[in-house]
Amino acid sequence: MSSEKQYIDLYEQCREMICQHAAEVMNNVREQALEHLRSHGFPSKKVERYKYTDIQQLFAPDYGLNLNRLEIPVNPYDAFRCDVPNLSTSLYFVVNDAFYTKSTPKGKLPEGVVINSLRKVAHGNPELIAPYYATLAKTDDDSVTALNTLLAQDGLFVYIPKNVVVDRAIQVINILRADVDLMVNRRVLIILEEGAEAKLLFCDHAADDRKFLGTQVVEAFVGENASLDLYCLEETHYKNVIVNNTYIEQKANSRVNHNMITLHNGITRNRTDLLFCGEGAECWLNGCVISDKTQHVDNNTLIDHQVGHCTSHELYKYVLDDESTGAFAGRVLVRHGAQQTTSEEVNQNLCATRKARMFTQPMLEIYADDVKCSHGSTVGQLNDAALFYMQQRGISRKEARLLLQNAFVNEVIDKIQLLPLRDRLHYLVEKRFRGELSKCEGCKLCK
């Protein structure tokens, strides 16, 4: 039986239950998603964008799903303490795929800003959701997106009105919690209107020693002259499988700074598609991966320059130890007429052992003649001469390796604009390289 058939059968058997616990806006696109999943199926490794991760195998096991929306017994405000020193945030929680509403987060938001359950807002104010939901994340283009659209019942909604600047960073803790092996399908919709500014920090954690399969689809709409900083930090565990698809649309003169940091995981597959549809826009896509044991991290990106006079910067760095594997495939597409495009794409990788494997594929596809574009990648090991030099000066080989690995990834960490978060990540990265569990002090969920 093909992997997708069990999900198709599940939906057909539980269609009424799924729709009953979701909003009409979300239900309106399910049948289309069903047809696309049925016709395309899960991609094999022969599909270019999935050549480094076996999606069919990941979705083959039989996981439980909470389609009837049973309440999860957890109070994240009591159990979770993950404060970054000196970083004052508006704190929210998403437990599995449900926005946690039982406590009011600290910190008052500017008037008109909405941070709430996607399902709740779609019920009460569908006009905010309907023009955007499932318009960037097209179900005919990606089967994981189709599956998520088919089964998702809730998630996170972030809305920043015109010309509103949210000074306080918005921190969202995504907690995976279950007593059985569980599949979670989470949806995130972010809307920044013209001139709006916001900084979002997503932290992914697993509360239980169970197998989790998570799909997440993020749609972010960044209006003219708007600015979005999006930081995504994964600190789960080796039993986790996460497939995350992020779709970003930028209007004229907008700015996006997207950072993907993977410190602890099992198998992670991140897809990021960014679309320039207005001139003068600029983006930074940065990624840092630290992986060991048999962990697998696959980052696949597409930057689509549909119009001219836009600038994109992309930097991903991996440090792979033991028998871990990494993959990076980054495509920059400059379409006809997108003149005065500037783009730079860099992927640099460090394999700390002979058994670690890295697959890298930076790509440029250019159909305009007045552009400045570059791309490149490197895969190497620690510099023996540098190690020897440091050992000659009394530094142990272990400490020398740690210093070199830290220096390698610091280029990505230093690009983070939130200074307290940057300092905290330097600390967590050093603990990670020392083989320590990088849990935050006082956190009861990461024992």
Side-chain angles (χ1 to χ4, degrees):
M1 183 178 73
S2 58
S3 298
E4 66 275 1
K5 188 177 186 305
Q6 63 175 319
Y7 300 103
I8 293 170
D9 292 344
L10 174 69
Y11 176 76
E12 291 178 335
Q13 294 166 12
C14 303
R15 180 187 277 109
E16 184 177 347
M17 181 190 300
I18 292 171
C19 293
Q20 178 185 351
H21 294 284
E24 185 178 357
V25 172
M26 305 177 75
N27 295 335
N28 288 341
V29 295
R30 294 192 198 278
E31 295 302 318
Q32 184 183 55
L34 175 64
E35 292 309 310
H36 289 151
L37 181 61
R38 195 195 308 273
S39 60
H40 299 309
F42 285 130
S44 70
K45 296 181 75 172
K46 294 180 180 179
V47 176
E48 182 66 24
R49 293 201 73 171
Y50 283 94
K51 65 191 297 184
Y52 302 118
T53 301
D54 191 341
I55 291 295
Q56 293 182 355
Q57 182 181 26
L58 295 184
F59 284 86
D62 184 12
Y63 289 86
L65 288 98
N66 186 15
L67 300 180
N68 206 25
R69 314 310 295 167
L70 300 177
E71 185 174 346
I72 304 297
V74 62
N75 185 344
Y77 287 91
D78 290 340
F80 198 86
R81 297 291 182 269
C82 194
D83 296 331
V84 178
N86 301 319
L87 179 58
S88 178
T89 63
S90 296
L91 184 62
Y92 299 85
F93 290 91
V94 175
V95 180
N96 295 333
D97 64 343
F99 185 82
Y100 190 81
T101 59
K102 291 189 177 180
S103 296
T104 303
K106 297 177 181 179
K108 186 177 180 181
L109 294 170
E111 185 177 354
V113 173
V114 179
I115 302 173
N116 210 327
S117 159
L118 180 62
R119 179 176 62 88
K120 182 178 179 180
V121 176
H123 272 307
N125 302 95
E127 71 281 358
L128 286 178
I129 308 292
Y132 301 97
Y133 186 79
T135 58
L136 277 182
K138 299 184 183 300
T139 57
D140 60 346
D141 179 60
D142 185 274
S143 294
V144 175
T145 295
L147 175 65
N148 179 280
T149 304
L150 185 68
L151 298 179
Q153 295 170 288
D154 195 9
L156 175 71
F157 178 65
V158 178
Y159 171 75
I160 315 296
K162 181 178 179 180
N163 294 327
V164 171
V165 176
V166 183
D167 293 323
R168 184 190 297 267
I170 299 165
Q171 185 176 10
V172 180
I173 309 295
N174 295 316
I175 298 177
L176 294 172
R177 165 76 179 92
D179 296 325
V180 298
D181 296 347
L182 187 70
M183 179 182 186
V184 172
N185 298 287
R186 184 189 305 126
R187 200 76 180 209
V188 179
L189 179 58
I190 303 169
I191 302 171
L192 271 67
E193 291 190 339
E194 179 182 346
E197 295 183 19
K199 300 178 179 64
L200 277 74
L201 168 60
F202 292 164
C203 301
D204 287 347
H205 297 269
D208 295 293
D209 186 22
R210 308 296 308 190
K211 293 180 180 178
F212 291 99
L213 170 61
T215 73
Q216 177 173 270
V217 172
V218 180
E219 294 178 283
F221 296 84
V222 186
E224 290 189 18
N225 297 300
S227 177
L228 172 64
D229 285 12
L230 181 58
Y231 305 98
C232 303
L233 173 63
E234 182 183 356
E235 291 183 279
T236 58
H237 57 60
Y238 73 98
K239 293 182 180 179
N240 273 42
V241 176
I242 293 181
V243 183
N244 175 50
N245 290 352
T246 301
Y247 302 88
I248 303 173
E249 177 189 87
Q250 288 190 242
K251 294 290 182 66
N253 301 308
S254 62
R255 170 191 167 277
V256 166
N257 182 10
H258 181 264
N259 297 263
M260 188 72 70
I261 311 295
T262 305
L263 294 185
H264 281 280
N265 75 304
I267 297 175
T268 299
R269 205 274 178 174
N270 298 314
R271 167 177 173 164
T272 303
D273 287 12
L274 187 142
L275 170 65
F276 287 118
C277 59
E279 293 189 353
E282 188 168 11
C283 79
W284 290 261
L285 297 188
N286 301 314
C288 173
V289 174
I290 301 173
S291 186
D292 58 11
K293 302 181 179 65
T294 59
Q295 296 165 354
H296 175 86
V297 183
D298 178 358
N299 282 294
N300 190 293
T301 69
L302 168 64
I303 300 177
D304 189 348
H305 288 260
Q306 287 198 346
V307 297
H309 300 275
C310 292
T311 303
S312 63
H313 315 266
E314 190 168 10
L315 174 64
Y316 275 76
K317 287 197 169 189
Y318 289 63
V319 177
L320 306 174
D321 207 342
D322 300 330
E323 299 180 27
S324 61
T325 59
F328 171 81
R331 179 184 174 211
V332 176
L333 172 60
V334 182
R335 296 184 182 268
H336 290 285
Q339 307 294 356
Q340 296 291 306
T341 289
T342 301
S343 176
E344 56 177 350
E345 179 186 24
V346 177
N347 172 227
Q348 296 176 333
N349 311 285
L350 189 62
C351 292
T353 67
R354 294 186 178 275
K355 292 185 177 181
R357 293 289 181 268
M358 181 67 201
F359 303 92
T360 177
Q361 189 179 16
M363 296 168 279
L364 279 177
E365 191 173 341
I366 302 173
Y367 299 98
D369 54 11
D370 186 9
V371 301
K372 295 181 180 179
C373 298
S374 64
H375 71 306
S377 68
T378 59
V379 180
Q381 296 181 320
L382 289 172
N383 189 306
D384 288 334
L387 284 172
F388 179 76
Y389 178 87
M390 296 170 76
Q391 287 177 273
Q392 288 292 95
R393 281 147 183 81
I395 301 174
S396 68
R397 184 175 180 85
K398 180 179 179 180
E399 196 69 19
R401 283 170 55 90
L402 173 68
L403 291 172
L404 289 176
Q405 289 173 335
N406 263 316
F408 182 77
V409 300
N410 276 350
E411 184 181 1
V412 176
I413 305 299
D414 287 341
K415 291 182 180 295
I416 291 176
Q417 301 298 310
L418 289 172
L419 295 182
L421 175 61
R422 184 194 306 173
D423 293 340
R424 182 65 176 175
L425 281 174
H426 280 305
Y427 169 72
L428 293 177
V429 165
E430 181 177 346
K431 288 188 70 177
R432 182 70 173 90
F433 282 135
R434 292 187 185 278
E436 302 173 20
L437 180 64
S438 58
K439 65 179 179 180
C440 300
E441 186 176 356
C443 173
K444 302 175 184 177
L445 298 180
C446 304
K447 295 179 179 179

